[in-house]
Amino acid sequence: MNLRSNPRSNVISWTSRNRRPLLVAAIMAGLMLMPVPGPAHEGHAGPMVDFMAANDALKAMLPDGAHVTRRKEAIKAAGAAWAQSSLGVALDDGDIHTYLLARDKGTDRVLGAAMDKEFEYGHGDVKLAVGVDPAGKVTKAAVLGANEKYVDEIKKGIGSGFLTDLEGATIQDLSARSDAAYKAKNNAAGDVIGHIRDMAAALATLTHGLSA
Amino acid sequence: MEGTLEARPGRLQGLSPSWRVLVTGFLLVIGAGYLSGALNAALAVGLTPAAVADHYRDQTLSKAEEATFEKQGFVEEEFSFDEPADRPAAEPADHDHAGAHDAMAGHEHMEGMAEGGMEGMGGVKSITLQQLAQLSHIHLLGFSFILLTVGALACLTTLPEAFKVVLVAVLTLSLGADIGGLWLVRFVSDGYAWLSVVSGTAVGVCLLVTALRVLFEVWLSRPKEVSP
């Protein structure tokens, strides 16, 4: 194997043994470059499978006839401290949350709040929604969707669509349910309920600030 | 020099026909790969710093909302469940940003909103840490082989050594900055969007310069006689 057509030249003088790794590297490079784009952006978990529309879920989580606004608001340090002491949940202060706030049309009193969010789950995401009443109890919670790879796991572990078992649960109830799920080796339920707990705690904290 | 990998000029000029075809084919394929990547970027994101910033920046607050948020500590706007029903479900971050631009400080109704973003009703979701890590690891692994192969070919040319040092260094830095710029846009400031555009262009220039020179030496240039 010779890199040059002129064997008398001393410009190229690698031995056959030393050239071999370079050839292998060149072939490897060619193979590696080919699949770079396409699948990379689709992730490893397949497309998102929607169980229900976020709009429908959020609507069911808030009281009928309320004046609804969409707010973007950060949890302040005082709010995070309140969540830790009153709810037993550690929330990051400074994180901006987007949520729907329902108020009484006449008195402007807070009637409830709801939000939906995506969380990383394995190599994909799971979409969740939760609503709370003024006392911070869950009105409804739902699994809105998951990446194809995890659909069976999520459905088997916790279910899909509205999670009726969680209606009326307090933040503390959710913490206990999440811990119990982990102990039972049901990580899907532990993760999902844990995220719902965090979302509910964020909503309770944000609405607590408005009511206070 | 037996047994060393020291690059010496003139090697490309004396390649056997099969190697010439291989090197030429490689340059054509990698050139097509670069152009495909550029086309993909143009279609999915855009090729201007503004488009890159719009795609990769933190989408939690729009530019208009940032001012309001800074002023009053929150952004609030009227919401109707009926309006979004006719709209498409959540799309990746490159879709319509009308909602963000229309969501002014006060209480204008939100337009162009999609469901189920990373921050829920936010309309456009920010690229996540995991997504950016995934994008980076895939691209950087590929880039390393582009650097190795194209850089090796550049080193084998008869161009002046100083020029080759600059060429390979620019290629290295540009490949890194292309991805690094996206991280800066997402987590530091969208003002860094120019970095990815400039570095991406620089990669193309390096590939072009290398390819043209290599093809010249492979097919058109003749090796100088070497004294015994």
Side-chain angles (χ1 to χ4, degrees):
Chain A
M1 195 164 74
N2 197 340
L3 278 170
R4 292 182 63 84
S5 57
N6 181 2
R8 288 183 303 170
S9 168
N10 64 356
V11 175
I12 291 290
S13 54
W14 301 338
T15 63
S16 177
R17 192 179 57 177
N18 284 332
R19 285 198 298 267
R20 205 167 292 143
L22 191 65
L23 181 63
V24 172
I27 294 169
M28 287 281 291
L31 291 172
M32 287 291 290
L33 289 173
M34 288 175 65
V36 165
H41 300 289
E42 291 185 16
H44 303 294
M48 174 62 67
V49 176
D50 289 319
F51 303 139
M52 68 185 304
N55 197 54
D56 296 341
L58 292 166
K59 189 174 184 178
M61 291 169 180
L62 295 174
D64 288 334
H67 172 217
V68 179
T69 56
R70 190 190 73 147
R71 280 176 73 99
K72 293 184 178 183
E73 191 172 5
I75 290 180
K76 298 175 179 66
W82 178 83
Q84 183 68 66
S85 60
S86 303
L87 307 175
V89 178
L91 297 175
D92 291 330
D93 60 286
D95 281 0
I96 298 173
H97 295 272
T98 304
Y99 65 103
L100 298 181
L101 180 67
R103 288 191 179 97
D104 184 277
K105 283 180 177 170
T107 65
D108 218 28
R109 185 170 56 90
V110 173
L111 299 177
M115 68 160 66
D116 66 320
K117 262 191 174 183
E118 280 185 26
F119 292 95
E120 287 164 18
Y121 186 85
H123 287 105
D125 295 316
V126 58
K127 292 198 290 188
L128 305 174
V130 66
V132 298
D133 64 18
K137 287 185 178 177
V138 172
T139 55
K140 283 183 183 296
V143 181
L144 304 177
N147 284 100
E148 194 173 50
K149 181 179 177 182
Y150 302 108
V151 166
D152 289 343
E153 193 174 311
I154 291 290
K155 282 185 173 179
K156 191 178 171 187
I158 183 75
S160 61
F162 285 122
L163 306 174
T164 52
D165 285 356
L166 301 183
E167 290 175 15
T170 63
I171 308 292
Q172 291 82 355
D173 291 339
L174 294 173
S175 293
R177 293 278 298 270
S178 177
D179 291 345
Y182 282 126
K183 280 180 186 166
K185 309 287 185 198
N186 186 347
N187 291 339
D191 285 356
V192 166
I193 297 172
H195 286 312
I196 287 173
R197 184 268 319 273
D198 291 345
M199 291 164 69
L203 289 172
T205 304
L206 291 164
T207 53
H208 173 76
L210 292 172
S211 305
Chain B
M1 281 298 147
E2 188 72 24
T4 71
L5 285 172
E6 182 184 344
R8 289 197 157 210
R11 284 174 175 171
L12 296 171
Q13 295 163 336
L15 289 181
S16 62
S18 58
W19 276 96
R20 290 182 184 191
V21 172
L22 176 63
V23 170
T24 304
F26 169 73
L27 290 172
L28 290 174
V29 172
I30 201 168
Y34 176 83
L35 292 175
S36 301
L39 179 62
N40 181 53
L43 295 173
V45 179
L47 297 178
T48 64
V52 172
D54 212 25
H55 187 93
Y56 287 100
R57 72 178 180 81
D58 186 348
Q59 309 279 356
T60 307
L61 295 173
S62 69
K63 288 286 184 189
E65 288 173 332
E66 280 178 6
T68 308
F69 192 85
E70 193 72 28
K71 192 174 170 185
Q72 63 186 35
F74 65 90
V75 177
E76 185 166 18
E77 58 205 1
E78 295 296 321
F79 183 87
S80 167
F81 283 110
D82 300 326
E83 285 294 324
D86 296 332
R87 299 193 175 117
E91 293 177 20
D94 56 331
H95 82 296
D96 143 31
H97 287 211
H101 297 306
D102 284 357
M104 292 296 151
H107 302 275
E108 295 177 23
H109 188 81
M110 191 178 163
E111 295 293 330
M113 189 184 67
E115 301 169 7
M118 183 62 68
E119 283 298 330
M121 296 67 59
V124 180
K125 66 181 184 181
S126 305
I127 187 167
T128 65
L129 178 65
Q130 187 270 334
Q131 288 170 326
L132 202 49
Q134 180 178 310
L135 180 148
S136 299
H137 100 262
I138 291 166
H139 278 81
L140 289 174
L141 288 175
F143 284 0
S144 69
F145 284 94
I146 291 175
L147 179 64
L148 182 67
T149 49
V150 175
L153 287 175
C155 291
L156 290 171
T157 64
T158 57
L159 287 166
E161 184 61 19
F163 184 87
K164 290 192 287 190
V165 168
V166 172
L167 183 64
V168 174
V170 169
L171 181 60
T172 304
L173 293 174
S174 299
L175 288 170
D178 192 35
I179 300 300
L182 303 181
W183 284 83
L184 290 171
V185 169
R186 175 62 182 85
F187 295 110
V188 181
S189 165
D190 56 10
Y192 286 103
W194 63 268
L195 187 60
S196 290
V197 175
V198 170
S199 56
T201 306
V203 169
V205 171
C206 290
L207 292 180
L208 183 64
V209 169
T210 303
L212 291 176
R213 183 65 194 189
V214 168
L215 289 174
F216 170 76
E217 293 193 16
V218 164
W219 294 106
L220 302 176
S221 178
R222 289 286 170 271
K224 292 175 183 173
E225 287 299 321
V226 179
S227 303

